[in-house]
Amino acid sequence: MNRSLRHILILLMCLPLLSCSETFLDPFENDGRYFSVYGFLDASESVHHVRVVEITRFAEDIDANRPDTRNVDAQVRSIDLSTGDVTRWTHQLRLLDDGSWGHVFTGRFLVRPGRTYRLEVERSDGKVASAETTVPRFPTTVPTPDRLFFPYESSPDSAYSALVTLPDIASPWDITLLYDLQGLGVSVPYGRPGQRTDDGGWQFTVDMPADAPKMRSFLELDSSDPLPLLHAITLQVRALDGNWDPPGGVFDADVLAQPGTMSNVENGYGFFGSIGLYQYTWIAPPQ
């Protein structure tokens, strides 16, 4: 089931155990858990967000017009465990998509592939909930198609479909192909197609004949108009860190909604992960 990253994040923020409208958790039954945390780091961005919910005996009832609910008893920081650098995150009360208000913290820094970041949410009494994520580091091994993309004519209409293997990328979130047609860039989103390989990689099919009509539509060409010559294909993959690996490798909303699924917060609930960006370009041979 392919879903947008935004949709899945909203789903994680609305788990039955901690629904957006009822965040009641009896602290006597959840001793040692202080916050619910939902968010991720994105290697393609320099601004990152997490939502923080206090675990209390009462359902969360935030009203921007009430001073007593405008703030949350929490300080948020992230630590680059490779360098020890600490980033303090700033608080903002935000109106969420469902019409409710939420406490959202923002961190501004560049995310480095291969590094592990620890997020800490601290209460005024010193109690801390935390989570760690390692940003995907992509291998130097290039993705390999099972056949050449480019026939002699280098035309998308005469090109082939090909099964592409992504080595060591076990869980892509989103795949996009950027076609260079004589300097005109046409982006074709693929979503999350394919399946995991036995050796921990990923395989999916690049279907260039099916992509050709999408290119024509983007370039506002008729179905009978020839496409410009194909110069290159750039593969862009947004890949998830190991914590995001869903059960069975499938993003199934019914499975993800079960309490405890994809939760990695110590002394709390929720999820904190990261997304890496991988890019590779195939150049068409000269005619």
Side-chain angles (χ1 to χ4, degrees):
M1 180 184 299
N2 291 327
R3 297 177 182 271
S4 70
L5 183 58
R6 181 187 181 91
H7 190 175
I8 292 297
L9 181 58
I10 292 173
L11 171 67
L12 290 172
M13 293 170 69
C14 299
L15 296 179
L17 185 60
L18 289 170
S19 71
C20 293
S21 60
E22 296 182 4
T23 55
F24 167 76
L25 280 172
D26 191 334
F28 297 105
E29 296 179 359
N30 294 276
D31 187 36
R33 299 182 186 270
Y34 314 117
F35 296 99
S36 293
V37 181
Y38 308 91
F40 59 93
L41 303 178
D42 191 334
S44 64
E45 303 288 343
S46 59
V47 180
H48 317 279
H49 307 284
V50 296
R51 183 184 177 190
V52 173
V53 179
E54 282 188 282
I55 296 177
T56 67
R57 297 197 64 181
F58 304 98
E60 186 178 49
D61 181 20
I62 300 175
D63 186 339
N65 297 317
R66 287 172 46 199
D68 60 319
T69 63
R70 288 178 188 166
N71 295 301
V72 60
D73 182 13
Q75 297 292 326
V76 177
R77 59 184 172 266
S78 58
I79 306 168
D80 183 337
L81 297 185
S82 298
T83 64
D85 291 342
V86 178
T87 300
R88 304 288 177 179
W89 294 48
T90 57
H91 170 263
Q92 185 180 13
L93 188 62
R94 287 195 178 186
L95 185 63
L96 307 178
D97 290 344
D98 64 356
S100 65
W101 293 88
H103 296 291
V104 177
F105 288 79
T106 299
R108 302 176 184 274
F109 59 99
L110 294 177
V111 174
R112 304 297 184 184
R115 292 189 182 178
T116 299
Y117 296 85
R118 178 181 176 86
L119 187 80
E120 296 182 342
V121 184
E122 184 174 1
R123 211 165 59 184
S124 58
D125 62 0
K127 302 296 186 182
V128 176
S130 63
E132 293 183 5
T133 179
T134 300
V135 182
R137 181 198 298 275
F138 296 106
T140 56
T141 307
V142 301
T144 55
D146 66 346
R147 56 163 40 180
L148 294 177
F149 289 121
F150 311 100
Y152 180 75
E153 297 87 353
S154 293
S155 167
D157 287 307
S158 59
Y160 306 117
S161 295
L163 182 66
V164 176
T165 300
L166 307 176
D168 299 326
I169 297 180
S171 188
W173 172 260
D174 182 72
I175 297 173
T176 300
L177 292 184
L178 181 63
Y179 290 96
D180 180 352
L181 305 175
Q182 291 184 316
L184 298 173
V186 181
S187 179
V188 178
Y190 268 62
R192 193 176 188 268
Q195 61 281 323
R196 185 166 300 156
T197 62
D198 292 339
D199 59 358
W202 192 267
Q203 283 186 336
F204 76 103
T205 298
V206 173
D207 192 351
M208 293 179 66
D211 291 346
K214 301 174 185 177
M215 301 181 206
R216 282 192 173 82
S217 176
F218 180 86
L219 298 173
E220 299 182 345
L221 299 175
D222 293 333
S223 58
S224 59
D225 292 337
L227 283 165
L229 292 181
L230 179 61
H231 286 180
I233 304 174
T234 297
L235 167 72
Q236 294 179 334
V237 181
R238 300 181 74 206
L240 309 177
D241 76 74
N243 290 331
W244 287 61
D245 195 20
V250 178
F251 280 84
D252 187 320
D254 294 332
V255 174
L256 295 180
Q258 298 303 313
T261 302
M262 291 179 66
S263 179
N264 67 334
V265 178
E266 184 178 352
N267 297 330
Y269 296 98
F271 183 81
F272 178 68
S274 59
I275 305 173
L277 180 65
Y278 175 80
Q279 184 167 293
Y280 182 81
T281 299
W282 292 280
I283 304 296
Q287 292 189 16

